[in-house]
Amino acid sequence: MAIAAQLGTVEAKNFIGGRSHETANGRPREIRDPATGELVATVMDSGAAEVDLAVRDAHRAFARWWDTPASTRGAILHEAAQAVLGKTKELSLLLTAEQGKPLAESRMEIRRFAHTLEHYAGLAKNLRGGYVPDLDEKPHRHGLILKRPLGVCAAIIPWNFPLSLLGNKLAPALVAGNTMVVKPAESTPLTSTRVIEMLHEAGLPAGVVNTVLGDGPGVGTELVRHPMVAKVGFTGSTEVGRLVMADAARSIKRVTLELGGSDPMIICDDADIDRAVSAASVGRFFNCGQACLAIKRILLFESIADEFTEKLADKVRKLTVGPGTEEGVRLGPLHSAEGRDQVEAQVGDAIERGARILVGGKRPDDAALAKGHFYSATLLADVDPASRMGTEEVFGPALPLFKVKDLDDAIARANDSIWGLGSSIWTRDLDRATKAAERIEAGYTWINSVTKIYDELPFGGFKQSGLGHEHGHEALDCYLQTKSVVVAAG
Ligand code: NAD
C-alpha cells in the first residue's frame, strides 16, 4: 500500500507554549515521499514573528525548569524515551515517508534517539561542580565551581537524521536545565514535531521545548540572531555553519557546530579484507550515503587494492535499490532531486578527469523507480584527487577508491582535507593502528570498525568539521556554563 495511504492525514504545526500553534501568515510547503513523489503532508513555513513568540515562551519557562530537580528532568526524559520506543512502528513509517531511508534504518534511528534520551536521563543525577579548599592562607576561605544552565538554546537540525540529531541536542540541553526552540529541516518536520509532542505528553512542562517550522533564512537566521537565545546547537553543512557562527558572533552566543566531513578509510596490506569490505559497504551506503560520518574516501595499500576492489564491487552490485518501505531494500532514494543532481555532477566531473566506473554511475534502469530520487550504488577507481570527488563532500551513494604507497602516505592523504570528522584504519599491526589514531586529524578514528557512534563517547569535528561536542559528558558541558564562587567566613 502507498505510504501516504498507510499514514492517513499527517499534520505538523509549530509547537509553542505546550500546544500546537497556527502560523498567522505562513507559506505552504509540500512534504513529498522521496521514493515516489507522493504528497505526505502540507505544512506552513513560519517567520520572525513565530520565532520571537517561541523564544519568549522558552525564556518564560526557563526559571521554573531550572528549579525543577535534575532527577525529575531525567525522569521525564526516561518516560519520553519509553513512549517513543512504544511507537516505533508508527514513527518509523513517518520518518521513511519524509526522509526516504529504509524502514529498518528508521527503526534504528528511533531506537538511537530513545537511547540518547535514556543516556542523559541517567546522567541527570551526575551534574557536578567542584570544591577547592584553602584558597589562600586566610582561614575558612574556599572556592566553589558552579555549573549552571545557559538559558534558551536553539537547535537547528538537518534532514539526514532528523530524530537522532535532535536527540543529541535536546537530551543534554534539557538535563542541564535549559529550555529550547527547535527548528527541524524544512523538508523533514513531521517525525520530530510528533516526538516533541510526545515529550510533553510524558510530563515536560509547557514552554520548555518549542518548535518553529520553516527554512534557513526565514526561521534559522532569525533564531540565531534573536537576542534572548543564549546558545545555538547546529548540525548541517560547513557552508551554513560558517553563516551561523558569524550571526552568533553578533552577541557572542555559544555555538556547537557539527558540520560536514570527508571521512577516509585506510586499508593496510595486513587488513582482514572480508571484514573491511563488509564495513565499507555499510559505511558508505547506509542512509543512501547521506551521513556526515559515512566513508567518503577509501585509501588502499597497493598490494591489496585489486582484491579489495573486486570483493567490494561484488558486494555493491548486490545492494537492492528501492523504496524504503519495501522489505529487503538496502539503498533507498536520495532525499532530494538537488542532492541527486549534485552526486551526478561530482561523478561526471570525476569521469571527465579520467576516473573509471566500476559499479553504477547512473540512475537505476527500473521504470518503477523513475518518480523517486534514486541513484545506483557507485564505485569509482583512478579518481583524480583534485577532482570534485576528491575535494568536496560526496553526500550520496558514490565512493572513490584511491591507492596509497604506505601508512605515511595514507595519513598524509587522510589529512589533506578541510574536514576532520571521522576516519578509520584496518590493520592487525598495533603500531600502525596507534600511529594512525594519533596522527589522523579527525574527531573519531575507528580501528578495524567503522561509523558506529556511542552516546558514551564525545563526538565533534576537527578543522572545518565543527566546534564543540555532542555525546559524552562533554555534551553536557556544552550546555552548561561554569561560575567560580569564593566563600569567606562572615
Ligand atoms: P544545511 O546546512 O543546508 O541545513 C541544516 C539546517 O540549517 C536546516 O535546518 C536549514 O534549514 C538550516 N539553515 C540553512 N541556512 C541557515 C542559516 N543561514 N541560518 C540558520 N540555519 C540555516 O545542511 P543539510 O543539507 O540539511 O545537511 C547536510 C549536511 O549536514 C552535510 O554537510 C553533512 O555532513 C552535515 N551533517 C553533519 C553532521 C555532524 O554531526 N557533523 C551530522 C549530519 C549532517
Side-chain angles (χ1 to χ4, degrees):
M1 197 200 299
I3 204 160
Q6 287 184 65
L7 285 167
T9 311
V10 179
E11 284 199 338
K13 292 182 183 156
N14 292 339
F15 196 78
I16 300 177
R19 57 186 180 80
S20 281
H21 189 273
E22 295 287 348
T23 307
N25 299 306
R27 293 168 305 284
R29 176 183 296 277
E30 290 183 340
I31 307 299
R32 292 188 173 272
D33 178 353
T36 60
E38 267 183 276
L39 185 68
V40 179
T42 303
V43 300
M44 288 293 173
D45 272 8
S46 294
E50 288 78 11
V51 168
D52 187 55
L53 204 65
V55 172
R56 285 179 188 282
D57 236 88
H59 195 259
R60 262 194 298 279
F62 173 59
R64 197 175 138 218
W65 183 241
W66 182 14
D67 272 349
T68 303
S71 56
T72 307
R73 300 200 291 259
I76 294 172
L77 287 196
H78 168 74
E79 281 296 313
Q82 293 307 308
V84 165
L85 285 176
K87 293 278 179 201
T88 301
K89 197 169 165 212
E90 296 87 329
L91 292 171
S92 54
L93 196 59
L94 195 56
L95 184 52
T96 291
E98 64 178 337
Q99 204 281 342
K101 63 184 69 190
L103 274 176
E105 293 185 19
S106 288
R107 286 193 288 271
M108 224 180 279
E109 184 170 348
I110 285 152
R111 283 196 294 273
R112 173 120 273 296
F113 173 80
H115 190 277
T116 303
L117 258 50
E118 289 286 13
H119 178 75
Y120 285 98
L123 290 182
K125 287 187 183 170
N126 259 309
L127 295 173
R128 293 275 188 277
Y131 166 67
V132 182
D134 304 330
L135 273 179
D136 55 34
E137 314 84 67
K138 295 201 174 63
H140 312 305
R141 187 163 290 194
H142 62 269
L144 296 177
I145 300 163
L146 306 188
K147 296 279 181 182
R148 40 171 292 160
L150 295 155
V152 179
C153 298
I156 301 181
I157 317 290
W159 48 262
N160 60 340
F161 293 98
L163 220 52
S164 56
L165 298 174
L166 170 66
N168 288 354
K169 295 160 187 61
L170 197 85
L174 292 184
V175 160
N178 301 283
T179 57
M180 302 193 79
V181 179
V182 175
K183 189 199 98 56
E186 46 273 44
S187 54
T188 52
L190 306 179
T191 320
S192 38
T193 309
R194 177 68 198 111
V195 157
I196 286 168
E197 286 168 12
M198 291 173 77
L199 276 163
H200 289 80
E201 288 156 16
L204 200 68
V208 173
V209 178
N210 302 282
T211 318
V212 184
L213 308 185
D215 64 11
V219 172
T221 308
E222 295 295 335
L223 205 44
V224 179
R225 292 183 181 174
H226 198 292
M228 285 164 121
V229 169
K231 188 217 159 110
V232 181
F234 171 83
T235 302
S237 59
T238 295
E239 196 187 348
V240 175
R242 206 170 278 126
L243 297 176
V244 167
M245 198 170 172
D247 277 338
R250 294 167 169 226
S251 55
I252 319 289
K253 286 186 186 17
R254 275 77 184 138
V255 287
T256 296
L257 302 175
E258 296 287 359
L259 310 177
S262 185
D263 294 6
M265 178 186 192
I266 299 173
I267 320 285
C268 299
D269 50 8
D270 61 342
D272 180 332
I273 299 291
D274 291 337
R275 276 186 57 218
V277 162
S278 295
S281 165
V282 175
R284 170 70 276 197
F285 298 104
F286 186 78
N287 203 22
C288 200
Q290 305 162 115
C292 53
L293 282 173
I295 295 161
K296 297 186 181 132
R297 297 177 285 155
I298 295 211
L299 305 175
L300 293 166
F301 276 39
E302 279 167 4
S303 63
I304 49 85
D306 288 347
E307 182 192 353
F308 181 90
T309 304
E310 266 168 43
K311 287 184 168 171
L312 182 60
D314 251 13
K315 213 169 193 79
V316 170
R317 270 186 213 104
K318 291 179 191 140
L319 293 176
T320 329
V321 184
T325 42
E326 271 179 23
E327 219 36 68
V329 160
R330 286 283 311 282
L331 199 71
L334 280 103
H335 178 61
S336 68
E338 299 74 38
R340 179 176 61 181
D341 289 350
Q342 174 154 322
V343 175
E344 273 180 334
Q346 289 168 324
V347 170
D349 172 72
I351 294 168
E352 268 175 33
R353 291 163 182 258
R356 277 185 301 125
I357 297 280
L358 303 171
V359 183
K362 59 186 178 67
R363 299 180 186 192
D365 299 324
D366 187 348
L369 303 181
K371 288 190 178 151
H373 315 307
F374 292 95
Y375 193 73
S376 306
T378 297
L379 281 188
L380 299 101
D382 303 331
V383 177
D384 178 353
S387 68
R388 290 186 61 183
M389 289 198 94
T391 56
E392 295 176 4
E393 181 177 31
V394 181
F395 218 58
L399 180 58
L401 308 177
F402 301 94
K403 287 184 190 161
V404 291
K405 287 197 283 295
D406 53 25
L407 186 60
D408 287 337
D409 187 25
I411 293 173
R413 295 279 287 277
N415 289 341
D416 184 17
S417 166
I418 61 164
W419 292 293
L421 198 57
S423 57
S424 64
I425 176 158
W426 290 73
T427 179
R428 293 180 171 103
D429 180 334
L430 194 57
D431 287 341
R432 281 176 165 177
T434 308
K435 185 173 182 182
E438 284 173 354
R439 300 275 174 84
I440 294 176
E441 295 159 353
Y444 246 110
T445 296
W446 285 272
I447 298 168
N448 299 320
S449 172
V450 281
T451 66
K452 185 155 167 42
I453 48 170
Y454 297 86
D455 285 305
E456 294 77 3
L457 294 180
F459 167 50
F462 282 22
K463 301 193 278 188
Q464 295 187 34
S465 286
L467 208 62
H469 287 98
E470 294 194 329
H471 298 170
H473 240 286
E474 285 77 357
L476 274 177
D477 284 339
C478 289
Y479 285 96
L480 288 164
Q481 52 194 337
T482 302
K483 174 168 183 167
S484 291
V485 176
V486 175
V487 185

